[in-house]
Amino acid sequence: MPRPTLPDFAFAAALLAINVSAHAVENLADCATIEADDARLACYDRLSGRAAAKAVPVAQAADSVPPARSLLNEAWELEDKSELFRVRRYKPVYLLPVFHASQVNPTPYSPTRGTAATLGKPDNNEAKFQISFKTKVADDLFNDNGDLWIGYTQSSRWQVYSSAYSRPFRETNYEPEAMFVWRTNFDLLGMSARYASLGINHQSNGQGGALSRGWNRAIAAVGLESGDWTLTLRPWWRLPDRGANDDNPDVADYAGRGELLLTRVLGGHVFSAEARHSLRGGSHSHGSLRLDWAFPIDEHLRGHVQWFSGYAESLIDYNHHANYFGLGISLVEWH
């Protein structure tokens, strides 16, 4: 075996020096002296036997953030194709065992039908309930846009406290409708316009003679949202009726020619304000304001408070002005 020479010793010493220098900081005291954060953390990870954590790519981190909630997309299923003929929520569904009128209407009047003969004076206190639903019947009728929906709303005023008159239903309004809904993407009034729609609406009370009321409308709408706020603008045009057979030729002067519906969802609470107006001046200037508040009671049930002031709280009272206050329960969220 040959004896090591001086160059061999020099080479071995150099290797040892490199190895020592590479591991000279492999103790906690030396790790602490490293200025760079990443290098100092890597030093501690090596000493502990733990692999350095991998950085999460920016795109992956962005994907982990849940998308912002869209109230109008939830209501009208704007972003993706969805199941047809499935019942969805529409307008509020509630039962108000307490519904008080400041001024009852004992003599409903129509300019073409005259004054209705009624049995006694209605009680100022009654119960009111409403059911409402809609369903999508067709998807993307115009290339990749344009959905067809049909809806139905029914509201009743029940004289449940009038025991002397067999507790009759004073008024029920029936409202079927159909509407085309287009997805939109533009800004209006500082909000995002999510959809526009055009539809046909019929509303009547199913009664005859001087108590008969009904009208048909073509209704346009645009739905706007910003965060938990939504704003729906709905102008309409009353379709002509049958001349002298018209039950209520001046209904638009009282029930209005359009409405504005503003809603706010806050936690489990839903607040809404609905304003209607005839869009005329002078003696034809009439309108109404309805405020609703639904608040959580448990997971599936909410309390419901309603206040209304103006004309046309119901069709039978379309030309009667009063204030109404209701208290009860609400079954579904709406916006």
Side-chain angles (χ1 to χ4, degrees), residues 127 129 156-159 166-172 207:
F129 62 86
S156 295
R157 290 91 185 143
W158 181 16
Q159 288 275 294
S166 301
R167 311 179 196 276
F169 277 82
R170 182 178 64 85
E171 172 76 341
T172 296
Q207 300 199 55

Side-chain angles (χ1 to χ4, degrees), residues 105-118 209-213 247-251 254 315-320:
N105 184 16
T107 55
Y109 170 77
S110 162
T112 58
R113 302 293 187 182
T115 301
T118 59
L211 292 174
S212 177
R213 303 285 187 271
D247 297 331
N248 32 246
D250 56 347
V251 62
Y254 292 92
L315 276 180
I316 196 67
D317 293 332
Y318 80 92
N319 51 10
H320 172 73

Side-chain angles (χ1 to χ4, degrees), residues 275-304:
R276 294 184 171 191
H277 197 267
S278 62
L279 304 180
R280 287 189 176 182
S283 61
H284 300 289
S285 177
H286 305 102
S288 65
L289 175 65
R290 187 195 316 272
L291 303 177
D292 286 273
W293 170 35
F295 54 91
I297 296 177
D298 64 20
E299 184 179 359
H300 300 292
L301 189 64
R302 292 175 173 83
H304 195 113

Side-chain angles (χ1 to χ4, degrees), residues 212-226:
S212 177
R213 303 285 187 271
W215 61 332
N216 300 300
R217 293 172 288 170
I219 302 180
V222 58
L224 315 173
E225 74 177 355
S226 177

Side-chain angles (χ1 to χ4, degrees), residues 156-217:
S156 295
R157 290 91 185 143
W158 181 16
Q159 288 275 294
V160 66
Y161 307 110
S162 298
S163 57
Y165 299 103
S166 301
R167 311 179 196 276
F169 277 82
R170 182 178 64 85
E171 172 76 341
T172 296
N173 293 161
Y174 310 92
E175 190 174 359
E177 57 187 311
M179 62 218 100
F180 286 100
V181 177
W182 288 269
R183 294 178 293 279
T184 59
N185 183 22
F186 62 92
D187 293 334
L188 180 67
L189 303 176
M191 305 178 77
S192 175
R194 297 300 309 280
Y195 78 87
S197 70
L198 182 63
I200 299 294
N201 177 290
H202 169 80
Q203 187 181 32
S204 61
N205 67 351
Q207 300 199 55
L211 292 174
S212 177
R213 303 285 187 271
W215 61 332
N216 300 300
R217 293 172 288 170

